[in-house]
Amino acid sequence: MNIEYPLWMEIDSQSLYTNFQRIQQHLTIPDASRIIGVVKADAYGHGLESVLLLQKWGMNRFGVATVQEGEALRQIGIKGTIYLLGGFIDQEIPGIFKNHLTPTLSSQEEWDRLNSAVQTNQQVLEFHVKVDTGMGRMGFLPEELNESLIAQIGHHPYLHLRGVMTHFASSENNPNYTHQQFEVFQNFLQKISHLNQIPIQNLEKHCCNSAGFLFFPDYHLDMVRVGIALFGVSPIQDPSPARSLGLSPVMRIRSRVKHLKNLPSGCCIGYGGTYITQRQTRLAVIPIGYAQGLLRRLSNRMEVLIKGQRAKCLGVISMDQMMVDVSDIPDVKRGDLVTILGPDGADEIRAEEMAAWAETIPHEILCSFNRIKNRIVV
Ligand SMILES: *Cc1c(COP(=O)(O)O)cnc(C)c1O
């Protein structure tokens, strides 16, 4: 492959396909329609082309954070249900109708605003209700949804209630809290079913993100909302949950050696001189920096792969460049392939490992690479 860019992202479409299949197989009732592919933030930095692939393979439900993201999906030809997981501000309401998005409601005020919008446009809109069971973010508190409000939202000529959802705060590391949240959700569902206002069995009930999907198979309910797992990455710094399900990373970041030099011992490397060579060092400069999404926090910590071997980052990451130590890799030449994320030979740099270096979660690693606009589907 002769790519003319100094830095590019490869989208491994085979892995994306396999991940979609594996996730279906792991559901209690395997069915593509029971998966909401969460593709906010440009599909976790992978770009919208991957959403089109998923649609081609049968995915028909997608989740986004904003109306603008939903509109971008409609513009590229996404036909299925698009859930507006992140709520909305009033200025976004026309866009919800225009793009036939499915909002998730968090308050009486949101309901009132949608209600007054349909008085004018008389357009049918499906929506879900979001219940805050302990996330402390969007969603109705269970007690806010009283009998009269439920009667209203359950029977409306234009606004059609199709589902009820909640979101876990700590499904990746706190099973007790997750069980508690699930119980609050179940109690809420029971409460509304006893009110006999709406046929609860017809509603789509869902609560699992990737961690919920991986660690709480009993909580899959009618649908799961998977983001990071779809892209083959664990929601935690340990890659084994994704690996053991047969998921593999979709995103790869590659570059080339731009410059090489030999430095004696005792040289300062980069801004602030945070690294001083301890020996004669062969240094390689790579054209990626924090402007391309390489978190500065990774400075002096991360490693890249060159010829299948690891080269350590030396000094702080600059805006568009970084330096690595290639002293122990024989025969590195200008133009040699550099793998920042992904496999090379027998070794592999994973987003989970990068997240550990940067003391963050793999989600942030993937999203930050959204700044790399040279994307190649392989
Ligand atoms: C982002 C998001 C998800 C997906 O989270 P992952 O950890 O990437 O699977 C699911 N549900 C909601 C409401 C979200 O905002």
Side-chain angles (χ1 to χ4, degrees):
M1 219 173 359
N2 192 24
I3 289 142
E4 70 264 38
Y5 312 119
L7 174 69
W8 69 95
M9 179 187 294
E10 291 169 10
I11 300 300
D12 177 355
S13 54
Q14 182 58 52
S15 290
L16 185 62
Y17 179 80
T18 309
N19 297 343
F20 183 31
Q21 299 302 314
R22 291 269 189 280
I23 290 169
Q24 287 178 55
Q25 290 156 5
H26 188 62
L27 293 170
T28 24
I29 310 160
D31 175 2
S33 292
R34 300 185 63 223
I35 300 172
I36 298 177
V38 180
V39 293
K40 52 202 188 197
D42 263 344
Y44 287 48
H46 294 70
L48 298 188
E49 197 150 350
S50 52
V51 189
L52 277 177
L53 289 173
L54 289 163
Q55 172 169 268
K56 189 174 85 182
W57 299 326
M59 184 173 273
N60 56 11
R61 299 178 197 262
F62 303 89
V64 296
T66 64
V67 170
Q68 205 170 12
E69 289 181 354
E71 178 156 301
L73 289 189
R74 290 295 184 221
Q75 278 169 355
I76 62 163
I78 295 298
K79 303 274 183 271
T81 310
I82 301 178
Y83 298 93
L84 189 52
L85 298 176
F88 54 88
I89 61 168
D90 291 348
Q91 287 80 352
E92 289 176 289
I93 290 175
I96 294 177
F97 287 95
K98 177 178 157 230
N99 295 293
H100 302 279
L101 306 181
T102 304
T104 56
L105 282 202
S106 286
S107 67
Q108 162 109 46
E109 201 176 340
E110 287 181 350
W111 167 257
D112 293 340
R113 293 289 182 279
L114 285 184
N115 198 358
S116 48
V118 289
Q119 300 311 319
T120 356
N121 67 22
Q122 308 213 325
Q123 204 179 315
V124 167
L125 191 78
E126 296 188 342
F127 69 97
H128 285 213
V129 156
K130 190 168 195 171
V131 188
D132 182 359
T133 57
M135 174 69 184
R137 197 174 64 179
M138 298 302 285
F140 287 94
L141 292 171
E143 61 270 23
E144 286 179 309
L145 280 155
N146 56 37
E147 193 162 351
S148 85
L149 185 55
I150 288 171
Q152 265 186 67
I153 67 176
H155 305 276
H156 191 283
Y158 297 108
L159 300 172
H160 297 168
L161 174 63
R162 291 302 308 275
V164 186
M165 63 173 288
T166 192
H167 190 49
F168 292 137
S170 312
S171 47
E172 65 289 334
N173 61 13
N174 192 338
N176 284 341
Y177 196 76
T178 308
H179 293 317
Q180 268 177 43
Q181 280 195 268
F182 189 75
E183 201 175 301
V184 173
F185 190 48
Q186 289 303 307
N187 290 342
F188 170 77
L189 292 171
Q190 236 168 34
K191 179 182 94 179
I192 57 171
S193 97
H194 286 153
L195 293 175
N196 275 327
Q197 305 274 13
I198 38 178
I200 173 102
Q201 66 280 3
N202 297 344
L203 295 178
E204 294 165 334
K205 297 166 281 292
H206 48 113
C207 55
C208 282
N209 55 0
S210 292
F213 164 75
L214 290 164
F215 305 137
F216 300 91
D218 293 344
Y219 294 172
H220 288 177
L221 302 179
D222 298 314
M223 309 197 292
V224 295
R225 306 185 301 267
V226 287
I228 195 135
L230 191 56
F231 298 103
V233 175
S234 282
I236 52 175
Q237 292 175 354
D238 176 6
S240 44
R243 271 208 186 111
S244 62
L245 211 70
L247 308 175
S248 47
V250 174
M251 184 189 287
R252 299 169 181 174
I253 308 293
R254 310 246 200 225
S255 183
R256 293 193 186 279
V257 173
K258 189 175 69 172
H259 182 64
L260 284 158
K261 63 159 58 89
N262 294 318
L263 291 172
S265 183
C267 279
C268 292
I269 310 287
Y271 288 120
T274 61
Y275 185 86
I276 297 165
T277 53
Q278 303 296 302
R279 56 171 178 173
Q280 227 224 88
T281 300
R282 182 129 177 99
L283 181 102
V285 182
I286 320 294
I288 180 171
Y290 56 82
Q292 289 78 37
L294 197 63
L295 304 177
R296 199 165 171 278
R297 190 81 183 256
L298 292 161
S299 299
N300 284 308
R301 298 180 181 184
M302 66 173 288
E303 296 167 358
V304 302
L305 294 172
I306 300 174
K307 296 172 178 290
Q309 292 189 58
R310 290 196 173 226
K312 273 189 93 64
C313 172
L314 301 183
V316 296
I317 293 166
S318 332
M319 192 180 287
D320 311 278
Q321 319 190 64
M322 70 175 298
M323 287 73 85
V324 298
D325 184 351
V326 294
S327 308
D328 300 326
I329 310 176
D331 209 23
V332 175
K333 288 193 232 17
R334 195 165 167 269
D336 278 352
L337 191 70
V338 180
T339 297
I340 289 136
L341 188 71
D344 179 19
D347 205 350
E348 178 187 26
I349 311 274
R350 295 190 54 120
E352 295 92 335
E353 187 178 15
M354 277 200 148
W357 288 328
E359 296 169 61
T360 183
I361 54 172
H363 305 66
E364 190 186 15
I365 300 292
L366 297 180
C367 288
S368 75
F369 286 127
N370 193 27
R371 293 170 176 204
I372 300 175
K373 297 301 177 190
N374 302 323
R375 290 195 188 93
I376 296 158
V377 178
V378 296

